[in-house]
Amino acid sequence: MTQPKRVAVTGAAGQICYSMLFRIAAGEIYGPDQPVSLHLLEITPALGLLEAVKMELDDCAFPLLHDVVCTDDPTVALTKVDCVLFVGAKPRGPGMERSDLITDNGKIFSSLGKILNEVGNPDCKVCVVGNPANTNAYILKANAPNINPRNITALTRLDHNRAISQLASKAGAKVSEINQMVIWGNHSTTQVPDISYATINGKAASDLVSEEWAQNEFIPTVAKRGAAVIDARGSSSAASAANGVIDHMATWIQGTPDGDWVSMAVPSDGSYGIDEGLIYSFPVQCKDGEYTIINDLDVSDFIKEKMMASQQELRDERDTVASLLSA
Ligand code: NAD
Ligand code: LMR
């Protein structure tokens, strides 16, 4: 029998996970022929709620779900897993920026990073979701030097999907007709949604929508969509975030379609003048479980200036958490 892939998930009794776990158990990350085992981590007071989530997972009788471990012990959750989805962290409320969460949430990532460093599989794939996601991933990477740093990533696929949806709606196109969208930078309001290379049914998007719309409506709408959802819902995006995580992991593992790419926040390799090691969103192609940054796009002065502003925000966040960066 095929050995199950072991997927650890933190914050497993929270909002995002209530949408996400059932899709992982149905095979949406590793595909329809691969059994999975779920290692679900929560803080002790949430273990009762986590047990209820496990009851519902059991009641779905998913053929691919091999077993479910519920625990408040990070060592149990993180030992020798194939991937870790770090969701557990405080969400922001109305009027807050994601960076306002940095002091409380940063500590979670330094402490879990140290444990992952001790018990983790060095090749495990990591996706950080808890905000501020890029800097939390940076903290995790600094605290887990035994884990392949290339495999420590953060989620900007939700922003990528939001950008596709906004462009499709403006152009009167289907989302499936849009390729080569890009999100540069931080998962914050400085992110740079960029349609410069996007195509709609093979035609340049920039010929089909105005530059004025792309610069003054599209960018701020996508960059502030998280806050718009909070205002409308009273709490932060959950189902669409869960969908972004599934897309991020499934693409990384199963690959990008020919002629397309996706956006992932990954450690910079210096491409486009971004400091090496910063967790920055780039366009990437994925094949055989590896991603490659697309490093040869021509970037306009308008976009470049915004990319550098997002880099500066990440540098400032990194300086704020300096005390959490030693392994
Ligand atoms: P939530 O409050 O519903 O759930 C978070 C869960 O994490 C809670 O059940 C809590 O008990 C648990 N938790 C807290 N500390 C933990 C720890 N140390 N170990 C394990 N579990 C812990 O929040 P949510 O709506 O699921 O959002 C989770 C995070 O994801 C937030 O920080 C939110 O801002 C972020 N988020 C990111 C994106 C993105 O695109 N990157 C999108 C949406 C939400
Ligand atoms: C989002 O983009 O929806 C999340 O990061 C949640 C938030 O705080 O906006």
Side-chain angles (χ1 to χ4, degrees):
M1 186 195 148
T2 315
Q3 284 298 308
K5 293 287 184 189
R6 303 209 153 264
V7 180
V9 183
T10 74
Q15 290 280 311
I16 293 175
C17 290
Y18 194 63
S19 290
M20 191 175 79
L21 297 176
F22 299 84
R23 294 180 59 181
I24 300 171
E28 288 195 39
I29 288 184
Y30 281 100
D33 301 318
Q34 174 60 58
V36 290
S37 167
L38 289 173
H39 288 209
L40 306 182
L41 180 69
E42 259 297 346
I43 52 173
T44 312
L47 283 179
L49 196 51
L50 185 59
E51 201 46 43
V53 173
K54 180 179 182 308
M55 286 169 69
E56 288 204 68
L57 282 163
D58 290 344
D59 292 350
C60 292
F62 286 116
L64 290 172
L65 185 55
H66 183 270
D67 65 307
V68 181
V69 176
C70 293
T71 182
D72 59 358
D73 181 348
T75 300
V76 171
L78 301 178
T79 296
K80 298 272 180 285
V81 289
D82 295 287
C83 74
V84 193
L85 312 177
F86 282 98
V87 183
K90 274 191 194 167
R92 65 174 167 155
M96 292 171 73
E97 288 301 327
R98 296 178 186 89
S99 55
D100 296 337
L101 299 165
I102 210 166
T103 313
D104 288 341
N105 287 348
K107 290 181 202 138
I108 297 176
F109 288 85
S110 60
S111 114
L112 290 182
K114 286 184 171 59
I115 297 168
L116 185 67
N117 196 49
E118 292 306 315
V119 302
N121 159 10
D123 289 323
C124 68
K125 289 182 161 58
V126 170
C127 176
V128 173
V129 182
N131 276 319
N134 300 51
T135 295
N136 286 336
Y138 190 88
I139 295 170
L140 192 90
K141 178 164 69 77
N143 283 277
N146 294 337
I147 306 298
N148 180 357
R150 269 182 59 79
N151 282 3
I152 298 183
T153 70
L155 185 72
T156 50
R157 187 65 176 271
L158 172 56
D159 309 288
H160 182 97
N161 288 343
R162 286 168 172 163
I164 288 176
S165 166
Q166 291 296 323
L167 178 59
S169 161
K170 179 68 180 175
K174 299 189 183 112
V175 291
S176 57
E177 293 169 341
I178 295 185
N179 290 108
Q180 299 184 176
M181 181 59 72
V182 181
I183 303 291
W184 304 103
N186 197 4
H187 174 63
S188 75
T189 48
T190 69
Q191 69 178 260
V192 194
D194 182 5
I195 65 156
S196 307
Y197 327 94
T199 59
I200 305 177
N201 253 331
K203 299 193 185 95
S206 51
D207 291 341
L208 302 172
V209 295
S210 72
E211 187 173 82
E212 198 280 325
W213 175 80
Q215 294 186 353
N216 300 326
E217 280 192 53
F218 168 75
I219 292 178
T221 300
V222 174
K224 293 181 191 161
R225 186 72 167 180
V229 171
I230 292 171
D231 286 346
R233 191 174 181 262
S235 56
S236 59
S237 64
S240 56
N243 180 68
V245 182
I246 300 273
D247 283 352
H248 176 109
M249 294 305 300
T251 304
W252 189 359
I253 289 159
Q254 299 180 37
T256 33
D258 282 346
D260 203 5
W261 60 57
V262 294
S263 302
M264 281 172 70
V266 301
S268 171
D269 60 357
S271 295
Y272 303 99
I274 303 303
D275 298 348
E276 258 184 64
L278 272 189
I279 307 283
Y280 194 93
S281 183
F282 292 101
V284 301
Q285 279 173 329
C286 301
K287 197 174 173 206
D288 300 330
E290 298 285 334
Y291 66 82
T292 307
I293 295 174
I294 312 237
N295 60 9
D296 59 354
L297 299 176
D298 280 333
V299 177
S300 70
D301 290 345
F302 174 82
I303 294 289
K304 186 82 185 184
E305 192 180 325
K306 289 188 171 298
M307 286 172 68
M308 291 300 137
S310 201
Q311 160 166 252
Q312 190 54 48
E313 181 182 51
L314 284 166
R315 287 174 175 163
D316 294 343
E317 288 183 12
R318 177 191 59 194
D319 294 347
T320 306
V321 298
S323 65
L324 298 176
L325 296 179
S326 49

